[in-house]
Amino acid sequence: MPERSPQEHVDARVLSYYGAEFDESDRLVGRSGQGALELERTQQIVRDRVAAGSRIIDIGGASGVHAAALAGRGDRVLLIDPVPRHVEAAGAHGTFTAVRGDARSLPVGDHEFDAALLLGPLYHLVHRADRLRAWSEAIRVVRPGGWVFGAGVSRLAAMAWVTVIEPSIARATTGAPATGSPMPEKWRRMIEDGAGELGPAGFPGGHFHLADDLEQEAVDAGLRDVRTVGLEGPGAQAIEVSRSHDPRLVAAARTLAAAYESQPGLRDLSPHLLAMGRTPQAVVEGALGAE
């Protein structure tokens, strides 16, 4: 039997991880203040740019937390996700449509939506060509001048987690110091090019972004007026580790997130990054249409 490619490995892990091992909806609403802050900030950014009552496609929308919130304000939402468990849970909301599909080949026609959310797929795609394909598909299905939002997992935040936070938690739990190489090969590869670990367990991260790289992907895919922000800010990992919902801590993290969302370098301290831009305007008689 031929050996799996890196992307085939991640695709299989996505189905297993989200299908049986991890509750994505709980991450956004129950597990800690970080998830709630990510949800809040993402929703606010989208709502500030996309009018209520719009047609929105939620690509890789998991169990429909974002889709349900947008449908609740009157948007017509189609959710696409490859995980059967997610599609079933999303469909149970009853306020939007949910179907199985792949971000790299969307089962919808051109220009059917006013905006696209690409909040899940990009960090599960190993190769840049596949990520550009997902961006391009989102652009294809959005009307000229519409919005596309794409999320990445910050490489810097991921490195902080695996090199400092996780070992500290393990030592506090077991009392034993970390063992093995101080810089394993898997960490070196993440630092240099954002490569995820292709192991049999754990988060199926195909790629971890730097903010500049995520922004360049959006530009190279064809989006205009692209901007990339840090979502939860540099204080978010503390409330994630503590599983805190303390409103004072969440408020402090929110303040930091707003203050540093666009600062070069500091935005990379946010666990999640969000790139956004407009699809190209239609060409009318040889000239671009008005913005």
Side-chain angles (χ1 to χ4, degrees), residues 44-290:
Q44 189 61 56
I45 288 168
V46 172
R47 290 168 186 238
D48 284 348
R49 290 160 178 80
V50 181
S54 293
R55 302 162 299 166
I56 298 178
I57 183 168
D58 188 0
I59 306 163
S63 55
V65 175
H66 283 288
L70 293 168
R73 70 161 192 167
D75 295 322
R76 292 163 286 166
V77 183
L78 171 64
L79 180 144
I80 306 283
D81 199 272
V83 181
R85 177 191 180 192
H86 283 169
V87 174
E88 181 180 1
H93 286 281
T95 56
F96 57 89
T97 302
V99 299
R100 285 193 71 188
D102 190 306
R104 293 161 286 188
S105 181
L106 297 174
V108 296
D110 296 351
H111 310 318
E112 292 188 10
F113 300 90
D114 299 303
L117 308 183
L118 199 62
L119 305 181
L122 295 176
Y123 44 83
H124 294 309
L125 295 172
V126 175
H127 302 295
R128 191 173 193 270
D130 277 337
R131 296 193 296 276
L132 289 175
R133 188 174 167 190
W135 278 112
S136 296
E137 276 291 273
I139 292 169
R140 177 183 67 80
V141 304
V142 170
R143 64 168 175 79
W147 285 94
V148 176
F149 304 85
V153 174
S154 166
R155 188 183 309 177
L156 188 58
M159 280 304 303
W161 183 271
V162 300
T163 59
V164 178
I165 299 172
E166 195 170 46
S168 296
I169 294 172
R171 182 161 189 172
T173 302
T174 66
T179 59
S181 168
M183 183 55 69
E185 175 65 16
K186 63 183 180 181
W187 291 2
R188 185 193 63 77
R189 287 188 291 107
M190 184 188 287
I191 289 171
E192 291 185 355
D193 59 21
E197 181 185 6
L198 302 180
F203 177 67
H207 184 77
F208 297 92
H209 283 88
L210 298 173
D212 289 346
D213 297 334
L214 181 63
E215 189 164 295
Q216 192 61 53
E217 282 183 8
V219 170
D220 290 348
L223 287 177
R224 299 184 176 184
D225 305 320
V226 175
R227 180 186 178 204
T228 301
V229 300
L231 276 176
E232 310 100 313
Q237 289 204 5
I239 55 177
E240 170 67 10
V241 170
S242 65
R243 295 291 191 263
S244 175
H245 287 278
D246 185 327
R248 296 167 299 176
L249 295 180
V250 174
R254 183 185 299 112
T255 298
L256 289 173
Y260 298 127
E261 66 177 16
S262 299
Q263 292 293 321
L266 291 177
R267 61 183 178 173
D268 282 289
L269 293 173
S270 180
H272 291 87
L273 307 164
L274 186 68
M276 65 202 84
R278 308 291 289 271
T279 61
Q281 292 281 4
V283 175
V284 179
E285 296 182 356
L288 286 175

